[in-house]
Amino acid sequence: MTIDPQLDHLVYAVPDLAAAVSAFAAATGVHPVAGGRHLGRGTRNVLVGFGGSAYLEIIGPDVELPADDDATVPFGVDTLTAPKLVTWAVHPPDIEAAARASAAAGADLGPIGPLSRRTPDGDLLEWRLASTVPAPLDGITPFLIDWGTTAHPATAPGLPALTLVELTATHPDPDAVSAVLRALDVHLPVGPGPAALTARLDTPRGPFVLT
């Protein structure tokens, strides 16, 4: 299948980042590299590229720097009991217009706000995000990101890469999901079933599925 060109990244949330990295590397033959810390929010991430401007984010608790008392921990990482492909992001050409279109179609992502993190090398990455907790439609519709003038994480030197072969989804109300996807002009095959995303990867150790 054709992966939507607006795809920015998939979010694979895990309760134990070190364990998840080891398991991913053992299964795929590719070792994710450190992305950075989300200071005050209690999470950190590791990354694997998909080529172009798309990547996989594996995000888990930052055991050394927990969240501030009043912070919302991203993607419910603090309540997870098992790894899960929780949602995905797209980088629309106009994030304001896309946020309005998503809300009008039934997936209100809330206000667009600035975020940032530093890479392990100390470079500051800054972006704008439209995302809310809990995610509308169980995270099957995407949240929105605009990297502005910041270098895209997928283009970082030395980022290991895999091939994203297919991204599909199921949802109890596939028509509602499809209405939002149409409004955003993004493509994701969606069928009836429990709310779930499925990513099929081509790896040095053969096909690998994230759910």
Side-chain angles (χ1 to χ4, degrees), residues 11-17 38 41-45 57-63 67 72-84 86 133:
V11 180
Y12 188 57
V14 301
D16 184 323
L17 190 57
H38 307 107
R41 307 185 79 197
T43 55
R44 62 189 304 174
N45 63 18
E57 175 187 25
I58 304 176
I59 184 170
D62 189 336
V63 295
T72 298
V73 178
F75 308 114
V77 161
D78 55 334
T79 63
L80 286 175
T81 57
K84 182 181 180 182
V86 291
V133 178

Side-chain angles (χ1 to χ4, degrees), residues 27-44:
T28 67
V30 172
H31 199 287
V33 298
R37 286 180 151 129
H38 307 107
L39 296 178
R41 307 185 79 197
T43 55
R44 62 189 304 174

Side-chain angles (χ1 to χ4, degrees), residues 38-141:
H38 307 107
L39 296 178
R41 307 185 79 197
T43 55
R44 62 189 304 174
N45 63 18
V46 296
L47 311 178
V48 174
F50 289 143
S53 58
Y55 65 98
L56 170 67
E57 175 187 25
I58 304 176
I59 184 170
D62 189 336
V63 295
E64 297 172 354
L65 294 173
D68 294 342
D69 291 341
D70 60 347
T72 298
V73 178
F75 308 114
V77 161
D78 55 334
T79 63
L80 286 175
T81 57
K84 182 181 180 182
L85 190 59
V86 291
T87 191
W88 59 305
V90 296
H91 46 246
D94 182 334
I95 192 171
E96 284 86 2
R100 291 192 296 270
S102 183
D108 189 346
L109 295 166
I112 300 166
L115 287 172
S116 65
R117 67 171 170 85
R118 288 200 178 272
T119 69
D121 293 333
D123 296 327
L124 181 65
L125 304 184
E126 298 179 287
W127 63 93
R128 293 191 300 153
L129 194 72
S131 177
T132 190
V133 178
L137 293 167
D138 305 290
I140 305 303
T141 53

Side-chain angles (χ1 to χ4, degrees), residues 124-177:
L124 181 65
L125 304 184
E126 298 179 287
W127 63 93
R128 293 191 300 153
L129 194 72
S131 177
T132 190
V133 178
L137 293 167
D138 305 290
I140 305 303
T141 53
F143 65 99
L144 312 175
I145 194 165
D146 176 8
W147 291 98
T149 59
T150 284
H152 196 281
T155 65
L159 185 68
L162 296 172
T163 299
L164 175 60
V165 177
E166 184 180 53
L167 179 64
T168 59
T170 55
H171 194 271
D173 191 348
D175 290 341
V177 172

